[in-house]
Structure formats: structure tokens, C-alpha cells
Amino acid sequence: MAQRILVILGHPALNSLCAGMATAYAEGAQAAGAEVRRLDLGSLHFDPLLHAGHYGEQPLEPDLLAAQADIAWAEHLVWVYPIWWGAMPALLKGFIDRVLLPGYAFKYRPGSSLWDKLLAGRSAELLVTMDSPPWYFRWVSRMPGHHQMKKTILEFCGIRPAKVHSFGPVRTADAKRLQAWVARARALGARHGGRTPATVAAS
């Protein structure tokens, strides 16, 4: 059985480095035999603001309903986005606020501080670009964006393991280095796309 992979581009620009890496990952995975779907958040039509107190009262736009169906379909979620101000872009955060809702991504247990992780059984990869050197983001900034996405969002909903690949610094990278990062994304896609659900579960 082929892996079902959903590639989510969290950068608003379709001509960005992140967009090129998302395309390369998807192509690598497809060439390796995976079924691949893709979401370009900058092309979706939705209100990124979750209005206070409107859980269940703020209707999901058609694009968000389709996104929920794609996430439910996928076995492996690939998030490609930049670090801005230490964390993900507002567009990606708004998408998460609107899509990973109670009853869909998680469910609190009555009378308990515990919760059910409704998206368990899925894994994730984060391809994250940044202008800071990755070592600086790790040791000096303490990786706030990585912890937010991996620990407090994905693992909270049961999506694990979530492996992070950091690429930077983008600001000073020459064309050869940028091309190497795109090639790395393609190789990551081929590596995961060639895995079967059974081998993923055993890893």
C-alpha cells in the first residue's frame, strides 16, 4: 500500500523558497510511489481569525472543510513554512486555529484535565526555513516556533513523531545553497514516499 501524504505550504507566496521545497517534496514522494495531496494556504479562501467564543458557531468555509478531509485522509503530514519573529506566519497559525478544532483534532474528557487525541496514527515532518542560522535558533532563541508546532499543536492532537528539518540562514544563501535545500526536500519526499504504512508503524 502506498503512503498517503499531505503537503501543506504555510508560506503565503507561491513563488517562495518554501513553495519550491513543497513542490520538490511532493514530486519526490510521488516518484517513490506515494499518493500525495497538497494544500497551498495562500490560495485558500477563509477567515484566519477564530472569533472568541465561536467554537461550533463559526461555520467552516468550503476550503477548510476540504482541508479537514485531506488531513483525515493523510497518514503523513508535511508542513513547509518559514520562521517569522520566532514562529510560524500568521496565515498558518490562523489555519490551525480554524481547522484543528475540538471534536475534530482533540476532545477534552468531561470532569478531567486529560483529553483524547483524535488525530493519532499520523506522523509529520516540518520543513522550516529561517533567516537565523539554525544553531542560533536552537541554542540562543531556544526554538520557540519548533516547540509550538511539534509539542503544543501536533503532538497535542496525537500526530507523532513530528520530525523537524531546519534550513537557514536564507537571507545570505546563494543560489547553489538554495538549490541544495530544494534537492534535500525532494530527497526527503522520496525517502518517506517509498515507505509503506507497515514500515512507518514499525519505526
Side-chain angles (χ1 to χ4, degrees), residues 60-121:
L60 288 178
E61 294 86 344
D63 281 353
L64 295 189
L65 290 171
Q68 284 189 335
D70 284 339
I71 292 171
W73 166 87
E75 296 165 316
H76 187 62
L77 305 173
V78 182
W79 307 77
V80 189
Y81 59 94
I83 289 291
W84 292 347
W85 294 107
M88 66 185 72
L91 174 66
L92 177 53
K93 181 57 166 58
F95 174 81
I96 289 169
D97 286 346
R98 294 292 317 282
V99 168
L100 300 186
L101 296 172
Y104 171 79
F106 65 95
K107 182 180 180 181
Y108 287 116
R109 299 175 185 174
S112 172
S113 59
L114 300 178
W115 67 99
D116 296 319
K117 301 177 180 182
L118 303 182
L119 296 179

Side-chain angles (χ1 to χ4, degrees), residues 80-187:
V80 189
Y81 59 94
I83 289 291
W84 292 347
W85 294 107
M88 66 185 72
L91 174 66
L92 177 53
K93 181 57 166 58
F95 174 81
I96 289 169
D97 286 346
R98 294 292 317 282
V99 168
L100 300 186
L101 296 172
Y104 171 79
F106 65 95
K107 182 180 180 181
Y108 287 116
R109 299 175 185 174
S112 172
S113 59
L114 300 178
W115 67 99
D116 296 319
K117 301 177 180 182
L118 303 182
L119 296 179
R122 295 165 180 80
S123 58
E125 275 181 284
L126 315 181
L127 278 62
V128 188
T129 64
M130 59 190 69
D131 280 336
S132 299
W135 66 263
Y136 186 93
F137 189 65
R138 178 176 184 179
W139 296 111
V140 179
S141 301
R142 300 293 184 177
M143 304 188 295
H146 289 358
H147 290 307
Q148 178 191 31
M149 187 64 159
K150 180 177 179 178
K151 296 291 184 181
T152 66
I153 296 175
L154 297 179
E155 291 186 3
F156 183 89
C157 299
I159 302 171
R160 57 178 306 176
K163 184 171 179 57
V164 182
H165 307 281
S166 299
F167 300 85
V170 175
R171 183 172 55 87
T172 57
D174 58 19
K176 183 177 180 180
R177 190 160 180 78
L178 297 176
Q179 291 170 1
W181 289 338
V182 172
R184 174 64 174 158
R186 189 181 306 276

